[in-house]
Amino acid sequence: MIADTLILIFIAIGLIFNTIGIIGILRFPDVYTRLHAETKTTTFGTIFLCLAVVVYAVSQYMGSGDGQYVTLSIHTIIALIALCFTNATGAHAIARAAYKSGQVPEPAVVDRLSEVKL
Amino acid sequence: MTDIWMITAAVLAVLIVVTLIRLYYGPTAPDRVVALDAINTLTVAAMIVLGVAYNEIAFIDVAIVYALLSFVGTLYIAKYIGGEL
Amino acid sequence: MIEVLIQLLILVGLIITALLVYKFQDLLSAAIAFGIFSFLLSLEFFILQAPDVAIAEAGIGAGLTTAIFIVAIRGTQRNEEAE
Amino acid sequence: MNMSNIVRTGAVLLFPFILVYGFYIVLHGHLTPGGGFQGGAVIATGFVLLFVAHSYESITKRLPMNYFKNSETLGLLLFIITALIALTLGVTFFGNWLVNSGGLFGDVVAYGPNPGNLNTAGIIPIMNLAVGIEVLGAMSIILLYMLSGIKEDI
């Protein structure tokens, strides 16, 4: 069955990327690198988990013709769009606040952001 | 097929508990906010997966509410840390 | 069987975050830990098949109480006084 | 003080969707999970998102505090008047005088498993709407008064 294989592959990709993101949070040295590891990889992994749910819903709809699986896939896509939107905005706010509170990256040489009026 | 979704949710729960280490050791407040953001994303993913595992379509609504609202607290903390409040 | 494991992990997380709220001297960190406590409590309600309470906890716990705590900390002072 | 340009644009773009989703939770309170209190809390969090993105002066210029006070009073009045009309029609206090009448929210519930009809359940959706409006006003005005206390401080 091709749908089951596809679901397994998507779940594996999503879980591997989530795990990499959490390891990055634990291992990286300062705030900016931790933020970089967390936001991108966790959002990417969640996209693939939601894609697995959508593939499952479409395959069940092809098999049984039940209308509730269409609702399941549409609601999952809405949740995914909201998550992508809010994660990007929140990451921007955290990075800007950390810079304004006076933290600098550890091996930084030049600081071009200090020349601009924030 | 149900076991696959349950195992996925269990792995996500393990990741949530592991992230609490950063909450405990984080030297400054922005590090702890990063842990909050990671747990927020993992919670939404776990809710979607568990909704499929229980075969209840109405449970996905809770995940949508969480994805829409959970960054309001992050924005308030960021505004306070940045000295703009 | 797996469901019991998930509940066990989330309850361990709830106890850890509740102890951290008590332990932190920095009140901003305590507010962040309380936000994580609220997330995990909502996930536990979700697993116990109570989506009504989970939605209420999402609206109140994630957004409003964190905002009220932060505004209150801004109005008073950030660090707890030593006895 | 205003936050950065990206946060302001994101808040203004996201606010209508939160509003629509909150009223969806309120109006489908008798069919799906949710209800008056939960939907009102969701909409109030949307207003709190607007308060964080803009400064206090620009918020109170567009949305004065009287709007939230009036919405709270309107919700309470709608709730108690709906309950009192039942006395004039010959049923008990809080009696469901709209159910199975054929008009607004008055359809008869179909027998057997069905996906759910929005136009049923009598006065229960009206009570949900009243509670939603009341919770929206009350929870927004708590935060607005706390922000006004901060502005006098500095």
Side-chain angles (χ1 to χ4, degrees), chain A residues 10-108:
Chain A
F10 280 163
I11 285 180
I13 292 175
L15 284 183
I16 286 172
F17 268 90
N18 275 337
T19 314
I20 289 173
I22 300 304
I23 291 174
I25 288 180
L26 294 182
R27 294 285 297 166
F28 272 154
D30 65 355
V31 178
Y32 304 101
T33 47
R34 276 170 200 152
L35 195 64
H36 157 79
E38 180 261 326
T39 308
K40 284 175 214 168
T41 48
T42 315
T43 310
F44 192 73
T46 309
I47 286 174
F48 272 91
L49 285 181
C50 292
L51 214 55
V53 173
V54 170
V55 169
Y56 169 76
V58 168
S59 72
Q60 291 292 111
Y61 180 69
M62 291 297 180
S64 68
D66 197 350
Q68 68 172 355
Y69 291 108
V70 182
T71 315
L72 173 66
S73 63
I74 290 174
H75 281 202
T76 308
I77 290 172
I78 290 174
L80 182 59
I81 291 172
L83 190 69
C84 293
F85 202 88
T86 59
N87 251 341
T89 314
H92 160 76
I94 295 171
R96 192 169 179 272
Y99 180 77
K100 290 186 83 169
S101 76
Q103 293 197 12
V104 286
E106 198 57 43

Side-chain angles (χ1 to χ4, degrees), chain C residues 48-62:
Chain C
L48 291 175
Q49 314 253 335
D52 270 339
V53 195
I55 291 178
E57 186 69 32
I60 304 291

Side-chain angles (χ1 to χ4, degrees), chain C residues 51-60 62-64 67-72 74-76, chain D residues 25 32-35 37-39 41-42 44-45 48 139-140 142-143 146-147 150 153-154:
Chain C
D52 270 339
V53 195
I55 291 178
E57 186 69 32
I60 304 291
L64 279 169
I68 288 175
F69 280 156
I70 297 298
V71 174
R74 168 66 182 79
T76 55
Chain D
I25 290 177
T32 56
F37 182 79
Q38 285 91 352
V42 169
T45 315
V48 168
M139 286 192 175
S140 301
I142 290 175
L143 208 86
M146 290 186 76
L147 285 175
I150 281 183
D153 192 10
I154 48 178

Side-chain angles (χ1 to χ4, degrees), chain D residues 73-150:
Chain D
T73 313
L74 184 71
L76 287 176
L77 278 179
L78 185 60
F79 192 86
I80 200 68
I81 285 175
T82 313
L84 279 176
I85 285 177
L87 282 182
T88 67
L89 294 179
V91 277
T92 56
F93 191 54
F94 279 108
N96 201 340
W97 50 276
L98 265 176
V99 70
N100 293 346
S101 66
L104 180 68
F105 296 126
D107 281 357
V108 180
V109 180
Y111 183 72
N114 52 348
N117 185 3
L118 184 61
N119 200 12
T120 54
I123 67 169
I124 294 174
I126 298 178
M127 295 282 188
N128 271 335
L129 199 59
V131 172
I133 294 172
E134 195 264 339
V135 170
L136 146 74
M139 286 192 175
S140 301
I141 209 167
I142 290 175
L143 208 86
L144 210 51
Y145 267 108
M146 290 186 76
L147 285 175
S148 75
I150 281 183

Side-chain angles (χ1 to χ4, degrees), chain C:
Chain C
M1 183 57 206
I2 306 175
E3 197 174 353
V4 176
L5 177 68
I6 298 172
Q7 289 199 5
L8 206 63
L9 285 168
I10 290 171
L11 290 175
V12 167
L14 278 174
I15 292 173
I16 291 174
T17 46
L19 287 177
L20 284 181
V21 172
Y22 174 71
K23 178 184 171 296
F24 282 144
Q25 296 288 317
D26 185 8
L27 288 180
L28 184 64
S29 303
I32 296 168
F34 186 76
I36 294 179
F37 179 84
S38 171
F39 285 153
L40 293 178
L41 188 60
S42 173
L43 194 54
E44 176 65 29
F45 279 136
F46 189 88
I47 292 173
L48 291 175
Q49 314 253 335
D52 270 339
V53 195
I55 291 178
E57 186 69 32
I60 304 291
L64 279 169
T65 55
T66 310
I68 288 175
F69 280 156
I70 297 298
V71 174
I73 289 171
R74 168 66 182 79
T76 55
Q77 60 183 354
R78 180 167 167 175
N79 281 307
E80 210 174 285
E81 287 185 2
E83 297 281 333

